[in-house]
Each structure stands twice: as C-alpha cells, then as structure tokens.
Amino acid sequence: MSVLEMKVPSPGESITEVEIATWLVKDGDYVEKDQPIAEVDSDKATLELPAEQSGIITLKAEEGDVVQVGQVVCLIDMDAARPEGNAPAAEAPKQEEAPKAAEPAKQEAPKPAAPVAAPQTYATGAPSPAAKKILDEKGINAGQVSGSGRDGRITKTDAELAAVPALGGSPLTATGARSTTTTKLSVLRRKIAQRLVSVKNETAMLTTFNEVDMSEIFRLRKQYKEEFAQKHGVGLGFMSFFTKAVTRALEMYPDVNASIDGDFKINYDFCDISIAVSGPKGLMVPVLRNAENMTFSGVEANIKDLATKVRDGKITVDEMTGGTFTITNGGTFGSMLSTPIINPPQSAILGMHNIIQRPVAVDGQVVIRPMMYVAMSYDHRIIDGKESVGFLVAVKEGIDNPVAVLMGGDERKGLGL
C-alpha cells in the first residue's frame, strides 16, 4: 500500500508553527489531488492546504491543534480506488395507511372548583395616589391593572409592573436569555493582539490630525468614472489618490518612511504601502510594492487584486510583509475620527475617515464641501512634530488640489486617458 505522509509546508520565512483552523474534509473521505483539504492559520495569514495526491485521507490532527512546520497532519492512501457515485435510492412505494382504530373516548378530568371571588368594595380596582400618578404618566387605564392590595386596591408596585410589561417582573430586574460563548482566539488574532500591545508599550506613539476637501476628487471621479473604467478595467476610487498623495509626501519627508532598529534608524528609498483590508479572518495589510512608481490605474488594479485575495483567503505571507507605511480607511465603516495604531516595524500610519458634507469657510464665504478628517499616528522616537505635521499637510495638498499636485496640471494625462 502506497501511503503519502502530508506535512505542513512552510508558509513563509520565520514561521515555525501553524494552527489547524478548519478541516475541509472528513476522516476517510476520498480527496483529489490539489483539492483544498484544510485551512491553517499562521501568525500572519490564513492559508489553504491542498492535497498532494488523490486517495483516501486519514487525519492526524484536530481542529485547533498547533502543529510545527514539517509535522505530519494527515495520510493519503494513494492505492485506494475512487468510490463510485451511488445512485439515489428509488423512492419506496407509499403504503396505504391502515385505518386507525377508534380511540377510546377520553374521560375528562373533573374541573377544579372555581375560586371564591373576593367581596367587591369601593377600593376594588381603585389605584392609590402613587399608583394613579404612574398610570396617568404612562397613559394606562386603571381598569387594565389587577390590584394586589387590600380588597383589590391597585398599589404602586402594581402600577410599576404594568408600566414595564417587557421586563416581566420587578422594574429593577430584567429577564431573558443570558448565555455566553467562549471561543479560542486564532493564531492570527493572538499575534495581532500581541503586536498591538507591543506597539503601545514600546513606541512613543503620537497622533496628529487635519482635514481634507474631497471636492476635486469627487469632480474627477464623476467626470472620468466611465472612461477610466473602460480604458483600464478598474474603477477610479479614493485609495489611488491617497496612495499617490502619501508617496509624494514620503519623498518630501523621508524620516516618515523609516523604521527604528535598536540604536539605528533605517531609511527606505522606496515606498511599499500597506493597505488595510477587512477580511473574514480580520484586518490584514497586503503591500503595494514600489507604489511611488505606480499610475492611478496601477494602484487601483493592485488594490483590487490584493483585496480579492484577502477575502478569498488566498493572500500569501510574502504579499503582506515588508511595508514601509500603512494606509487604513475606517470611513468605510462610518468612522468620523480615530487614532490608528502603528503597524510595526513601520513608524507611521495614515487613517482615513468618512466623508461628511460640512460648512467651511472658503475665500470669506461659507460653503458646503465634502470634508474628511485624516489622522497620522507616528513614532515620536524618530519622527518629530515638524516632520509629522509637514507630512500630513503635504497629503492634504495632494487631496485638496490633485490636478496640480498629483497630475502635473493635466488631469487626463494623469489618469492615463
């Protein structure tokens, strides 16, 4: 019998272990070569594990197990014959139901004697002064409330219970489902938590804010949206404008495009921009390599490709490592303002937010403009206030006036049309 031992492949450099997140097959199933059989979580991404050969599979690890790279996680019997598909069973002929035997007449249980009604008095159904006040405030008819007081008088407690029927009890006590669920965090989520805490503890993080006027970008997108899509096969979004504005600002302020390593500062002469993308396993940050050399259409195409890979669980570790600066857009979820956390070992991150039509002063006149708050968090150990504020102002210049600043004064040429 030829049996293949399937071992955990290395997802990337420096990764020594992974967690079996989900088995996509059951023990004893017949699998085809290259068929995805499991999803594994590393500390950087979720990856699919494909079958290396066809055959009957025997699982050697459970979901949730942490296994070492190179460890055997399943066996595949390559000599096993492919099972023939079973034809659906013929529907059995319906048997006529035998007539039911006459059921013996049910004997009714004797009805309990009706309780003796309490004697009616002038107090029956009448609210106390405190109860009357509550009923009047809530618009409740006293005739709808049963009194528990002496001779059927409506007490304050009776009125309070009638005023909060949804609570089903005391006004101070709620009832209903109160279950809890405990779920183990994935390796990826645990690593994210560890990294975020380390950033807060090990960096001198500070955030500076500004606002940008999106009017010109709105105009360009509206005017060239269809032509841009027909020419390049992708939509003209906001991220290309912000990416181009960021790469320009990084060239102007190189200390923002740097990282710290002990007593040394590392400056990069390229702009690898990490773009935060929300996926089924959480927030991931694939990287646009050499974004400073990309056109608007190039940025949009690469972001679309990387975002699709994240959402389909096909992103690789290499595609998420090595960024020098991060852009995150909380505005897609409705965030008005936030202080984004640095993505280590980077030294800065730009946070975009939602776009709100707000009154602003332009040339002494109050006008309505689509405005967005932007936030830049940075490591004050290597980036001073002058560089951080200057960088964010440079980004603002590119967004407020994209034609002159980002397109060399020619919008059609700048968009590749």
Side-chain angles (χ1 to χ4, degrees), residues 303-324:
I303 290 177
K304 180 181 178 181
D305 179 58
L306 292 171
T308 300
K309 288 182 177 180
V310 167
R311 295 183 182 113
D312 292 344
K314 299 185 182 299
I315 196 75
T316 66
V317 174
D318 290 340
E319 290 172 317
M320 292 197 299
T321 54
T324 63

Side-chain angles (χ1 to χ4, degrees), residues 73-287:
V73 289
C74 66
L75 305 175
I76 297 179
D77 179 5
M78 297 184 292
D79 291 338
R82 180 182 286 104
E84 296 180 1
N86 295 325
E91 189 174 329
K94 295 183 179 179
Q95 296 182 352
E96 293 185 5
E97 294 184 359
K100 294 183 180 179
E103 295 182 1
K106 294 182 180 178
Q107 294 183 353
E108 293 186 2
K111 296 181 180 179
V116 179
Q120 301 286 320
T121 70
Y122 71 93
T124 302
S128 67
K132 186 176 187 305
K133 180 180 179 182
I134 295 173
L135 296 177
D136 289 344
E137 289 176 349
K138 301 297 182 181
I140 300 173
N141 190 334
Q144 300 173 346
V145 182
S146 298
S148 62
R150 185 175 180 179
D151 294 333
R153 191 178 186 87
I154 299 173
T155 65
K156 179 181 178 182
T157 300
D158 296 330
E160 288 174 339
L161 289 173
V164 284
L167 296 180
S170 167
L172 303 179
T173 305
T175 59
R178 295 175 60 80
S179 62
T180 60
T181 303
T182 302
T183 306
K184 184 179 179 181
L185 295 176
S186 66
V187 172
L188 176 61
R189 178 52 63 181
R190 296 199 298 270
K191 187 65 176 181
I192 291 173
Q194 177 185 339
R195 286 162 63 88
L196 294 180
V197 171
S198 69
V199 169
K200 297 290 287 185
N201 293 337
E202 298 172 9
T203 65
M205 194 174 79
L206 192 64
T207 305
T208 184
F209 304 92
N210 213 315
E211 62 179 359
V212 294
D213 186 344
M214 301 291 289
S215 299
E216 270 297 285
I217 293 179
F218 271 38
R219 179 189 68 80
L220 290 169
R221 293 182 71 226
K222 181 178 180 180
Q223 183 173 346
Y224 298 107
K225 178 180 179 180
E226 294 183 2
E227 188 178 356
F228 187 89
Q230 290 175 357
K231 176 73 178 292
H232 302 294
V234 289
L236 179 60
F238 297 126
M239 288 303 299
S240 54
F241 289 94
F242 277 89
T243 301
K244 297 293 287 183
V246 162
T247 56
R248 170 182 174 268
L250 289 175
E251 291 172 352
M252 295 171 62
Y253 296 92
D255 279 349
V256 180
N257 196 39
S259 63
I260 192 169
D261 184 10
D263 294 334
F264 297 90
K265 180 180 67 171
I266 304 172
N267 283 89
Y268 305 98
D269 61 358
F270 54 87
C271 300
D272 284 356
I273 306 299
S274 302
I275 304 294
V277 177
S278 180
K281 297 289 185 178
L283 199 66
M284 296 186 181
V285 279
V287 181

